[in-house]
């Protein structure tokens, strides 16, 4: 796995479908991925989404920074992340798995949502992260990447 | 210059100070107004489907209609397809979407339909309308006009965005569009939240414009989120659907069907809902929250998501359907037991008295499993008097006809 590239193993099927379609349509603004997906028809996107949803989730990162982890847990609770992403953060339907996701990816994705620079990003996620400080987003990313 | 620099420094200071205070963030738009008693609720908006559904995959046999009516899949492959606008010739239908960012053109070739994408990558281009040979497309932040599109399918659009003066907030500001009998373009601007005092006066209202964006007028206010309206065939008055607020429990406040009997009416948002329910958050301690509020013709059910409305004026359906309003209810998310997911008729007098709601097209939902497979969104009438119903979930258009096939 490469830095900044998300893990897609065990992501909910609908989430992966939506993500691949929006990327292919050029709404997400990821040129490299758009090129790869350009001629992939919907039925293959569905098949990919099913396949990825059945893979085993990535193992959480090892070393835990206890202070950061505790703060992240607190931020997750305050912002009711589990309402949509489930208590164990495995995600459901259109809402992605966060547990075990790469820390660097989570931190950057959440910051991009909050700063309205995630094209095609759900307006609800921008609103959900509104007002959370950058250190707190980092703590949240640390916690989610290691939560079991 | 010095003064300016000082002001900037102060602002920067107060921002970082606010963050240091670690104030809890406001909940997301769709959770605003959520009481502590529902803090553990797992209700969330239903996921849309962003991939194509083939006509053969649609479980048509599950749909139920009154005796003598027949339903078929008329067009497929319109992922996220919502409101439909006929071209002048009636041979093309333009269909708007939200998340997938496309506008489709459906060409009716008699025994089959072909579909192409007119434009994509837009920010929720749900508003489509047609007049004088031009297609009008409205996204949350953009207005495009395609002149002579029936003859020039690949002509570049005219960007009309500036003329329409769209406000910055995005939530509930995706559009339903229609030209009125007065040839003006009617455009809603929703309340940018579940429940709130809108930040400025530009929201929670219905406006009309000249087709070129001049002559802006506010027709009605206090409208939370209307996604459908039509003009009554006898009175020429606008009847519009409106979504009720979320997070006040399973039973309400109900969605509404309203009637604009004259310009300038106030329909209650954010203070007063449905048939006179003061809002427990915004109207707290406020006396007469429902004073001077025009109440609905009828409520349309809790969290039903009332969408398109079409008064029937064709000659195919039995006489009792003449002038009756067909209304699509896309179905609930903010309710533990699913509600809606159907097309109903509303029969009322021309001045909105004695409303009677009757289910017309059902079967999209399985009440026992509390699940759904389709979400009817808009209704249009073909020249032969049959009705088209768009299904936003499956991206297909159904055709409903009555009696024996004409061919």
């Amino acid at each position: 796995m490469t830095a900044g590239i998300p893990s897609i193993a065990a992501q909910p099927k609908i989430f992966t479908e939506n993500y691949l379609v929006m990327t292919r349509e050029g709404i997400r603004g990821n040129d490299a991925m758009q090129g790869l997906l350009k001629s992939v028809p919907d039925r293959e996107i569905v098949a990919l989404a099913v396949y990825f949803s059945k893979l085993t989730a990535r193992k959480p990162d090892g070393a835990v920074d206890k202070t950061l982890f505790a703060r992240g847990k607190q931020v997750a609770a305050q912002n009711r992340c589990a309402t949509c992403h489930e208590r164990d953060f495995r995600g459901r339907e259109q809402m992605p798995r966060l547990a075990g996701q790469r820390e660097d990816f989570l931190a950057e994705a959440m910051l991009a949502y909050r700063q309205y620079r995630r094209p095609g990003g759900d307006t609800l996620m921008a609103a959900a992260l509104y007002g959370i400080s950058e250190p707190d987003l980092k703590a949240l990313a640390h916690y989610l990447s290691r939560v079991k | 210059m010095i003064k300016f620099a000082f002001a900037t420094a102060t602002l920067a200071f107060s921002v970082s100070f606010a963050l240091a205070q670690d104030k809890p963030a406001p909940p997301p738009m769709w959770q605003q107004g959520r009481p502590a008693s529902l803090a553990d609720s797992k209700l969330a908006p239903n996921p849309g489907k962003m991939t194509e559904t083939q006509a053969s995959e649609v479980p048509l046999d599950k749909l139920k209609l009154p005796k003598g009516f027949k339903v078929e899949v008329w067009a497929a492959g319109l992922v996220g397809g919502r409101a439909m606008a006929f071209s002048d010739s009636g041979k093309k239908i333009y269909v708007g979407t939200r998340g997938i960012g496309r506008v489709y053109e459906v060409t009716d070739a008699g025994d089959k339909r072909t579909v192409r994408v007119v434009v994509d990558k837009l920010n929720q281009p749900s508003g489509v309308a047609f007049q004088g040979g031009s297609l009008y497309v409205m996204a949350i932040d953009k207005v495009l006009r395609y002149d002579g599109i029936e003859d020039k399918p690949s002509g570049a659009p005219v960007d009309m965005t500036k003329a329409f003066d769209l406000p910055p907030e995005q939530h509930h500001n995706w559009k339903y569009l229609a030209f009125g009998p007065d040839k003006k373009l009617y455009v809603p601007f929703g309340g940018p939240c579940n429940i709130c005092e809108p930040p400025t006066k530009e929201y929670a209202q219905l406006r009309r414009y000249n087709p070129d964006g001049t002559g802006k007028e506010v027709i009605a206010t206090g409208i939370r989120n209307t996604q459908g309206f039509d003009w009554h065939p006898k009175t020429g008055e606008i009847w519009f659907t409106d979504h009720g607020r979320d997070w006040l429990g399973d039973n309400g406040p109900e969605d509404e069907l309203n009637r604009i009997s004259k310009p300038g009416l106030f329909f209650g948002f954010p203070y007063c809902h449905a048939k006179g329910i003061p809002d427990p958050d915004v109207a707290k301690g406020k006396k007469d929250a429902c004073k001077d509020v025009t109440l609905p013709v009828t409520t349309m059910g809790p969290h039903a998501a009332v969408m398109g409305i079409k008064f029937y004026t064709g000659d195919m359906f039995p006489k009792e359907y003449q002038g009756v309003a067909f209304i699509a209810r896309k179905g609930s998310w903010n309710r533990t037991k699913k509600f809606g997911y159907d097309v109903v008729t509303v029969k009322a007098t021309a001045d909105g008295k004695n409303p009677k709601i009757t289910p017309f097209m059902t079967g999209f939902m399985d009440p026992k499993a509390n699940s759904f497979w389709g979400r009817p969104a808009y209704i249009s009438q073909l020249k032969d008097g049959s009705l088209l119903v768009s299904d936003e979930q499956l991206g297909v258009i159904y055709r409903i006809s009555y009696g024996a096939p004409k061919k």
Side-chain angles (χ1 to χ4, degrees):
Chain A
M1 243 174 350
T2 323
I5 309 288
S7 166
I8 49 178
Q11 285 291 357
K13 172 181 165 274
I14 299 176
F15 167 76
T16 306
E17 261 178 34
N18 290 356
Y19 190 86
L20 293 176
V21 169
M22 287 175 91
T23 304
R24 182 191 65 193
E25 300 291 312
I27 299 170
R28 282 280 185 179
N30 181 337
D31 293 343
M33 274 297 291
Q34 191 190 358
L36 287 172
L37 290 166
K38 211 168 183 175
S39 54
V40 180
D42 281 359
R43 61 172 195 285
E44 283 177 26
I45 280 183
V46 175
L48 284 169
V50 170
Y51 169 70
F52 291 125
S53 73
K54 288 182 176 162
L55 295 179
T56 310
R58 175 177 179 265
K59 280 215 177 85
D61 287 336
V64 172
D65 177 324
K66 275 188 184 161
T67 319
L68 212 52
F69 188 88
R71 178 61 193 151
K73 192 174 179 180
Q74 206 177 8
V75 175
Q78 278 170 359
N79 290 280
R80 295 169 169 168
C81 303
T83 296
C84 293
H85 294 277
E86 298 281 6
R87 262 163 220 228
D88 58 1
F89 301 100
R90 70 178 180 275
R92 62 177 163 124
E93 300 179 314
Q94 78 274 39
M95 300 162 283
R97 162 182 284 275
L98 306 174
Q101 185 54 274
R102 289 184 63 98
E103 183 177 0
D104 59 348
F105 173 79
L106 284 174
E108 166 54 22
M110 291 192 290
L111 190 63
Y113 269 123
R114 206 202 67 192
Q115 295 175 340
Y116 299 104
R117 26 175 202 91
R118 202 164 164 83
D122 194 321
T123 53
L124 296 181
M125 261 320 291
L129 295 169
Y130 178 85
I132 307 181
S133 72
E134 209 170 320
D136 276 352
L137 286 183
K138 280 191 175 144
L140 191 53
H142 185 79
Y143 165 69
L144 292 170
S145 69
R146 284 159 175 82
V147 70
K148 279 170 198 167
Chain B
M1 197 61 206
I2 290 164
K3 206 175 175 186
F4 174 74
F6 176 74
T8 311
T10 310
L11 181 68
F13 174 74
S14 57
V15 168
S16 55
F17 180 74
L19 291 177
Q21 289 288 299
D22 197 26
K23 213 177 80 194
M29 305 276 188
W30 51 273
Q31 284 198 23
Q32 282 162 11
R34 178 167 162 183
S37 60
L38 289 173
D40 286 333
S41 165
K42 287 183 64 176
L43 295 172
N46 294 325
K49 183 170 183 289
M50 294 191 96
T51 56
E52 241 178 84
T53 305
Q54 306 299 321
S56 58
E57 296 173 293
V58 178
L60 266 189
D61 56 330
K62 289 191 175 155
L63 291 176
K64 288 190 186 75
L65 289 155
K67 213 177 164 205
F69 288 92
K70 200 186 102 191
V71 60
E72 65 196 290
V73 176
W74 187 76
L78 307 103
V79 175
R82 290 165 56 99
M84 301 166 275
F86 286 100
S87 68
D88 290 342
S89 77
K91 283 186 185 144
K92 312 248 184 209
I93 294 175
Y94 296 93
V95 185
T97 66
R98 284 184 53 198
I100 201 156
R102 300 172 181 162
V103 173
Y104 301 99
E105 181 188 72
V106 183
T107 302
D108 186 3
D111 56 342
K112 64 176 170 67
R113 262 65 49 189
T114 56
V115 180
R116 76 172 178 110
V117 175
V118 174
V119 56
D120 59 8
K121 299 186 184 59
L122 294 179
N123 187 8
Q124 307 199 19
S126 50
V128 285
F130 204 97
Q131 183 170 281
S134 299
L135 166 69
Y136 293 74
V137 171
M138 204 175 286
I140 290 178
D141 51 6
K142 195 169 252 183
V143 189
L144 299 174
R145 194 187 71 210
Y146 293 81
D147 294 328
I149 188 167
E150 282 199 89
D151 305 322
K152 292 182 291 179
S154 48
V158 182
D159 192 330
M160 311 279 292
T161 310
K162 256 195 171 159
F164 281 87
D165 191 22
L166 306 173
E169 294 294 334
Q170 304 210 342
H171 196 61
H172 288 159
N173 274 267
W174 47 90
K175 305 298 182 199
Y176 174 74
L177 285 189
F179 280 103
D182 54 6
K183 307 266 180 198
K184 287 177 187 267
L185 188 59
Y186 286 71
V187 190
F189 295 82
C193 51
N194 170 32
I195 186 73
C196 63
E197 297 264 12
T200 57
K201 283 190 167 174
E202 303 155 278
Y203 302 98
Q205 58 183 229
L206 179 64
R207 302 180 195 167
R208 70 177 171 195
Y209 297 80
N210 296 322
D212 65 359
T214 61
K216 177 175 86 184
E217 286 172 87
V218 176
I219 295 296
T221 58
I223 303 171
R224 182 176 175 275
N225 180 24
T226 177
Q227 289 296 321
F229 37 88
D230 193 16
W231 283 262
H232 192 282
K234 276 202 181 121
T235 63
E237 291 168 352
I238 303 172
W239 291 45
F240 70 89
T241 61
D242 195 12
H243 291 205
R245 64 157 291 185
D246 303 316
W247 298 117
L248 285 183
D250 270 10
N251 295 324
E254 294 191 30
D255 285 6
E256 302 170 4
L257 172 63
N258 291 291
R259 166 181 158 251
I260 304 183
S261 57
K262 59 180 181 194
L265 295 177
F266 174 64
F267 288 91
F269 181 84
Y271 312 111
C272 176
H273 308 293
K275 283 184 178 159
I277 302 169
D279 189 85
D281 297 314
V282 177
K284 204 183 277 174
K286 193 179 172 199
K287 269 193 180 171
D288 304 331
C290 292
K291 203 185 157 212
D292 300 326
V293 170
T294 302
L295 298 180
V297 167
T298 177
T299 51
M300 294 296 296
H303 309 288
V306 275
M307 302 291 294
I309 168 171
K310 172 72 197 144
F311 288 103
Y312 187 73
T313 54
D315 56 11
M316 179 189 274
F317 290 6
K319 238 186 183 167
E320 65 256 35
Y321 288 96
Q322 204 51 235
V324 163
F326 283 81
I327 296 177
R329 303 193 293 188
K330 210 173 93 169
S332 63
W333 67 265
N334 194 238
R335 191 173 201 275
T336 53
K337 276 207 162 300
K338 297 215 182 305
F339 183 88
Y341 303 89
D342 57 13
V343 176
V344 297
T345 57
V346 177
K347 198 170 187 172
T349 60
D351 61 353
K353 297 274 160 33
N354 305 319
K356 189 170 177 260
I357 303 175
T358 312
F360 178 76
M361 185 187 200
T362 58
F364 292 103
M365 176 190 52
D366 179 348
K368 270 190 201 145
N370 202 28
S371 66
F372 70 92
W373 56 266
R375 304 191 82 183
Y378 286 90
I379 301 144
S380 280
Q381 186 183 305
L382 284 171
K383 276 183 184 157
D384 67 1
S386 59
L387 287 185
L388 298 182
V389 174
S390 64
D391 180 337
E392 187 177 355
Q393 190 71 17
L394 298 191
V396 301
I397 298 174
Y398 308 100
R399 176 173 171 267
I400 299 172
S401 54
Y402 182 80
K406 284 198 165 175
K407 282 166 211 168

